[in-house]
Amino acid sequence: MKYKILDHPADLRLLVQGKTYQELFTAGLKGMTEILAPHLETPVKKSQRTITLKSPDITALLIDFLNEVLFLAQTYKEVYQEVNFQKLTENSLIAKVWGRSIKEFKGDIKAITYHEAQIKKNLQGNWETVLVLDI
Amino acid sequence: MDIKKNLIKITDWLWEIPKSFRKDLRVPARIFTTEKMLEATLNDKSLEQLINVATLPGIQQEALVMPDVHEGYGFPIGGVAAFALENGIISPGGIGYDINCGVRLLRSNLTLGEIKPHLADLTQAINQAVPSGVGRGGKLKLNDQELDLVLEKGAVHLVAKGYGEPADLEHLESGGCLPDAKAELVSQHAKDRGRDQLGTLGAGNHFIEISRVAEIFDEKEAQRLNLFPEQIVILIHTGSRGLGHQIATDYIRLMLKVLPKYKISLPDRELVCAPFNSSEGQQYFSAMAAGANFAWANRQLITAAIRQAWQKSLGLAAGPLEIVYDVAHNIAKIEEHFLNGQKKKLIVHRKGATRSFPNQPVIIPGSMGTASYVLVGQEKALKESFGSTCHGAGRALSRHQAQKTVRGAEIKQKLNKQGIIIEAGSLSGLAEEAPQAYKNIDEVVEVVHQAGLAKKVAMLKPLAVIKG
């Protein structure tokens, strides 16, 4: 499971990879948290939120999931470092995210867009996609 | 296919990619620019994105971009696209996540000489009065009923509550309120995300700038707008905050789900849309209008806070701060335009583009530390660009490239040396918005002036910048 923050002329690209969908989605969550609040200390599980979603396909599901996490983060002034998927299929999920409340965000994200996103297997056989974030 | 080889020069300021460029194009694509700026534009994907816009159902005349164009997601930034109401679409991506991001200009009766001794105090007072930064809440906490009034009445509600004068509304695009707004079509998510953000600036490229009128290009128009040399003016650049972002997110998601129902095929999912007359299209239009109203209310509340800080810092001699104008640069509106000699109602999308109707003031903010411009819309804009012009300098470097090229502390020092005061929440944010990260605003404005879309009235130079 890994993520990499890449360049975009006006916004940000986030490359996410994982051996499984769980790993891929977790990489997305951690990448986003790194942008909102870089260099957080050891994960803590003080705040817990549940996310239930249905989407047309796996790529849309990842984007919808991250947008939901973003909504929770900005509404409750929290960032999430851990996630547990009770269910994760091609087009639906139930997830619990854990994290901490923070005083201020270091970075802003307006939304995770569908532009350029497509989950597919890379040469190493892992799931991968690039996400464009409007910041 | 090679875009560059297919570009046709129409005038020194206008270029076209013909409809024949690709089979799926419904109209040609046009670029207002110069040969020099066009070269730079060809280095990113903005023209590819513009060509994709020209494939959308119901698009009229041409898909357009302004000289400040740069790559976005789905639609390019700096784009204008008009669609027929009866068989055209509405697309949240053609408006952007920051619904009604826009600019407001306030004018004072004072000159630089008169406020110079108080400038540092005034900057600090405004910085304290207007919360900025990511996720920072404002002073006004709205319950559901009050929030609904803001969503449906925009700046009109804020003025009724005492946050401004009735005369303010005469100087706002659409009077600061789109009548089609329906609060019940804005999700609870969007309301919760934006509830405490009214009256806040946000982060990114949003700012408040105290400037002076450095040059007048058109005496008559300047007089009409009550602008004079060395006059102190204040620019506000912000939008609908988290509430608008969430409205866009919600409706992009909804439209993706119903896309198969309308049999619309798209070259990029971020162009997702629905027929304007469909239930989803109408719902989004009313929710987007509510987001736009929230943005006008936001700039109204910020204006009220600035007026208070102005009085507090300058005392009796302060005089009024009146609104020159307030323009939206991420919005879709129903407008009447002449097409082939026939008057037709269209849904005009502007994403990083400003309305430029004849005699209407147009405010174009430059990048941090550089000039900004006041222009006036021209008749020709109605014929050539659905009454639209550019919205700013437009990015030339990515935020990361900008951070690599310059450090925030250096920029602050450099701007301070030029006598510009900087109040910034984050130094890395300052680097991202460095002047060298943007195109040259003077060149951008010259294009729209020469192309006859809007004429130059005055140039403003910054004295103090407040950003999140």
Side-chain angles (χ1 to χ4, degrees), chain A residues 85-134:
Chain A
F85 294 95
Q86 290 174 8
K87 179 185 162 191
L88 177 54
T89 70
E90 286 284 329
N91 54 14
S92 67
L93 65 76
I94 301 171
K96 274 199 164 54
V97 292
W98 287 279
R100 63 174 79 199
S101 61
I102 56 167
K103 279 195 184 135
E104 62 170 351
F105 296 100
K106 294 284 181 222
D108 197 10
I109 301 174
K110 290 176 187 160
I112 292 82
T113 77
Y114 296 86
H115 184 54
E116 293 182 0
Q118 198 183 1
I119 296 175
K120 50 187 177 190
K121 287 246 167 129
N122 63 16
L123 291 175
Q124 289 77 42
N126 294 330
W127 295 112
E128 179 182 296
T129 186
V130 169
L131 301 167
V132 175
L133 279 56
D134 186 355

Side-chain angles (χ1 to χ4, degrees), chain B residues 265-335:
Chain B
S265 70
L266 297 172
D268 175 354
R269 289 223 270 194
E270 199 61 24
L271 292 169
V272 70
C273 54
F276 181 70
N277 279 333
S278 66
S279 63
E280 294 84 3
Q282 286 295 298
Q283 282 172 26
Y284 169 66
F285 181 57
S286 292
M288 184 275 307
N293 289 347
F294 187 86
W296 273 308
N298 189 29
R299 293 197 285 275
Q300 188 64 34
L301 194 55
I302 290 174
T303 301
I306 291 175
R307 281 170 170 163
Q308 263 190 359
W310 176 261
Q311 289 291 337
K312 197 177 116 192
S313 305
L314 302 173
L316 287 176
L321 282 177
E322 291 170 317
I323 299 173
V324 177
Y325 208 66
D326 177 308
V327 286
H329 52 226
N330 282 0
I331 203 160
K333 290 164 89 173
I334 297 176
E335 292 171 0

Side-chain angles (χ1 to χ4, degrees), chain A:
Chain A
M1 180 269 293
K2 62 175 186 178
Y3 64 84
K4 202 172 170 190
I5 298 165
L6 308 168
D7 235 358
H8 179 275
D11 298 296
L12 265 189
R13 281 192 180 95
L14 183 66
L15 171 75
V16 288
Q17 293 170 336
K19 282 184 191 148
T20 59
Y21 285 159
Q22 275 91 339
E23 276 196 17
L24 184 76
F25 278 52
T26 307
L29 176 114
K30 296 208 168 183
M32 203 169 80
T33 297
E34 178 66 24
I35 295 165
L36 291 173
H39 319 305
L40 279 182
E41 306 133 39
T42 342
V44 290
K45 291 186 174 186
K46 283 187 178 159
S47 314
Q48 180 191 311
R49 310 273 168 195
T50 304
I51 297 171
T52 307
L53 283 174
K54 273 189 188 159
S55 302
D57 56 53
I58 188 70
T59 302
L61 188 66
L62 171 63
I63 293 159
D64 295 345
F65 168 67
L66 294 177
N67 273 320
E68 193 64 17
V69 173
L70 178 66
F71 157 74
L72 292 169
Q74 294 201 339
T75 303
Y76 297 107
K77 316 277 184 281
E78 294 171 347
V79 285
Y80 307 102
Q81 297 161 287
E82 299 282 319
V83 56
N84 176 261
F85 294 95
Q86 290 174 8
K87 179 185 162 191
L88 177 54
T89 70
E90 286 284 329
N91 54 14
S92 67
L93 65 76
I94 301 171
K96 274 199 164 54
V97 292
W98 287 279
R100 63 174 79 199
S101 61
I102 56 167
K103 279 195 184 135
E104 62 170 351
F105 296 100
K106 294 284 181 222
D108 197 10
I109 301 174
K110 290 176 187 160
I112 292 82
T113 77
Y114 296 86
H115 184 54
E116 293 182 0
Q118 198 183 1
I119 296 175
K120 50 187 177 190
K121 287 246 167 129
N122 63 16
L123 291 175
Q124 289 77 42
N126 294 330
W127 295 112
E128 179 182 296
T129 186
V130 169
L131 301 167
V132 175
L133 279 56
D134 186 355
I135 59 171

Side-chain angles (χ1 to χ4, degrees), chain B residues 76-186:
Chain B
I77 314 295
V80 180
F83 299 88
L85 298 192
E86 63 281 6
N87 62 353
I89 53 94
I90 184 166
S91 173
I95 291 143
Y97 286 89
D98 196 358
I99 296 166
N100 190 4
C101 183
V103 195
R104 180 178 289 206
L105 182 66
L106 311 176
R107 64 167 178 251
S108 75
N109 292 330
L110 303 182
T111 59
L112 174 59
E114 288 165 308
I115 78 147
K116 210 166 186 178
H118 311 284
L119 189 61
D121 280 354
L122 176 65
T123 308
Q124 234 176 30
I126 294 176
N127 191 34
Q128 278 166 10
V130 183
S132 61
V134 190
R136 277 278 304 280
K139 286 162 190 155
L140 206 62
K141 307 281 181 231
L142 301 169
N143 62 29
D144 275 343
Q145 211 181 357
E146 285 166 326
L147 181 55
D148 285 358
L149 281 166
V150 168
L151 293 172
E152 295 195 348
K153 302 282 175 214
V156 175
H157 177 64
L158 269 279
V159 167
K161 295 276 283 183
Y163 296 103
E165 302 298 322
D168 289 349
L169 301 173
E170 293 164 25
H171 305 286
L172 313 181
E173 183 175 330
S174 299
C177 173
L178 292 183
D180 297 293
K182 289 194 182 107
E184 72 264 25
L185 293 172
V186 175

